[in-house]
Amino acid sequence: MTLARFLDTQAAVVRVALTRVRGSSPREAGTEMFVAAEALHGTIGGGQLEHRAINAARRMLRDGVLSEVLDLPLGPEIGQCCGGRVEMRLRRMRSSDKRAALDRAEQEAAALPHVYILGAGHVGRALADLLQHMPVRCILVDQRSAEIAQSTARVETRVSAIPEIDIAQAPAGSAFVVLTHDHGLDFLLTSAALERGDAAYVGMIGSATKRVKLRNWMRDHCAEVPFDRLTCPIGAQGSADKRPAVIAAFVVAEVMGQLTTSTARATATAIDTRNHQPDRKGALIR
């Protein structure tokens, strides 16, 4: 269920937001979840921390309390062994709070990193099946409409006669996974992704031999590019199992590892800015 749908169907909701985190904790400062009397949206990390937050939020709804602050040690006192300490603010949401939450969700969705799966064969479709559950905007691209039609994943699909254009128009920091039905097309698309110079991840399905062939081809046909940023073979570090679903699982791990590493600092900065905005009276919101 989307946040918009949740807020539309729940009249009374408490927003739970982590405002300060010290030491180890399940989630970072700025993480939020929404609690209604019999429904939830989001998570602050599960376990006893979340259990206590939910109970406190529902007590507020029952007793008519508008705001509360919790300060919880994540240790033996609550049966959670992270070892850190978390402060959180619980606030019953007004209409303006709901609009602000939807605005934040829309901004976060617009800022999601793009992952382009270039090729809708068996592995490409298996990748789409997994990436639909990740915090990314996944785009499945193929020249063949029949292959695209076989995908059941809830991702964006494009039948593209010239997929190089999709690569050229992708935003900075995108990830590109190249696994088409044609080695020549693989070379063309991989070189286009590498030539951008700003991709978070460029991977090509194949073997060590195919990687060498691509390097030789690029020497003859391309300007100097950062070839060492290419991952090829993709998904090869975890297992020798070559079933599409297994390959896809390891490729998703590679892609998400790169994307979350490159975006973690930016996300932390955005959260810190959001948590330290002055309210209308000039006081810091914490």
Side-chain angles (χ1 to χ4, degrees):
M1 180 185 295
T2 65
L3 179 59
R5 175 69 174 162
F6 176 84
L7 294 178
D8 187 54
T9 56
Q10 302 296 328
V13 178
V14 170
R15 175 182 181 252
V16 179
L18 303 189
T19 53
R20 187 181 183 192
V21 172
R22 287 165 285 175
S24 178
S25 73
R27 298 292 301 274
E28 65 279 357
T31 301
E32 59 185 1
M33 69 178 295
F34 304 91
V35 183
E38 296 184 357
L40 300 169
H41 189 281
T43 176
I44 56 170
Q48 277 295 314
L49 173 68
E50 184 164 299
H51 178 70
R52 293 192 175 212
I54 293 169
N55 284 345
R58 287 178 172 159
R59 282 197 304 271
M60 289 172 57
L61 292 173
R62 183 192 65 211
D63 299 338
V65 177
L66 298 181
S67 182
E68 185 175 336
V69 174
L70 298 180
D71 182 359
L72 296 176
L74 304 180
E77 297 94 326
I78 69 167
Q80 196 155 339
C81 59
C82 295
R85 194 176 191 96
V86 169
E87 293 178 17
M88 66 182 80
R89 183 179 183 184
L90 291 72
R91 181 172 178 174
R92 185 160 176 163
M93 300 181 77
R94 303 162 295 183
S95 296
S96 59
D97 297 321
K98 292 183 178 182
R99 288 194 297 270
L102 292 174
D103 287 343
R104 288 193 300 273
E106 185 176 339
Q107 293 167 7
E108 289 170 3
L112 288 175
H114 289 48
V115 180
Y116 292 81
I117 304 172
L118 299 153
H122 295 295
V123 178
R125 296 196 299 272
L127 277 170
D129 287 341
L130 297 178
L131 285 168
Q132 67 180 322
H133 303 295
M134 295 293 110
V136 300
R137 178 179 171 185
C138 179
I139 303 100
L140 180 62
V141 183
D142 204 298
Q143 297 173 320
R144 305 163 297 168
S145 59
E147 295 298 315
I148 288 283
Q150 293 185 57
S151 174
T152 59
R154 295 173 63 88
V155 301
E156 182 177 341
T157 58
R158 297 181 190 172
V159 179
S160 179
I162 309 176
E164 302 97 292
I165 295 176
D166 297 275
I167 293 173
Q169 294 178 343
S174 294
F176 303 92
V177 188
V178 181
L179 24 62
T180 78
H181 59 292
D182 180 83
H183 280 203
L185 184 58
D186 281 352
F187 287 5
L188 183 64
L189 299 184
T190 301
S191 63
L194 289 171
E195 284 179 308
R196 287 179 54 106
D198 62 0
Y201 174 93
V202 180
M204 181 180 71
I205 198 165
S207 61
T209 300
K210 187 175 178 181
R211 180 187 178 95
V212 171
K213 289 183 177 179
L214 173 62
R215 179 189 285 275
N216 294 337
W217 182 87
M218 290 180 68
R219 285 194 184 120
D220 295 335
H221 297 88
C222 305
E224 186 174 344
V225 295
F227 189 84
D228 59 341
R229 297 187 64 183
L230 171 66
T231 299
C232 180
I234 56 174
Q237 283 68 42
S239 171
D241 192 319
K242 296 184 179 181
R243 286 176 290 180
V246 176
I247 295 172
F250 285 109
V251 174
V252 168
E254 290 176 358
V255 171
M256 294 309 300
Q258 289 299 315
L259 289 177
T260 53
T261 297
S262 61
T263 60
R265 285 188 295 272
T267 301
T269 300
I271 289 172
D272 185 67
T273 300
R274 187 173 75 199
N275 288 338
H276 292 79
Q277 290 295 319
D279 63 16
R280 293 180 180 177
K281 296 182 181 179
L284 287 179
I285 299 174
R286 291 182 180 275

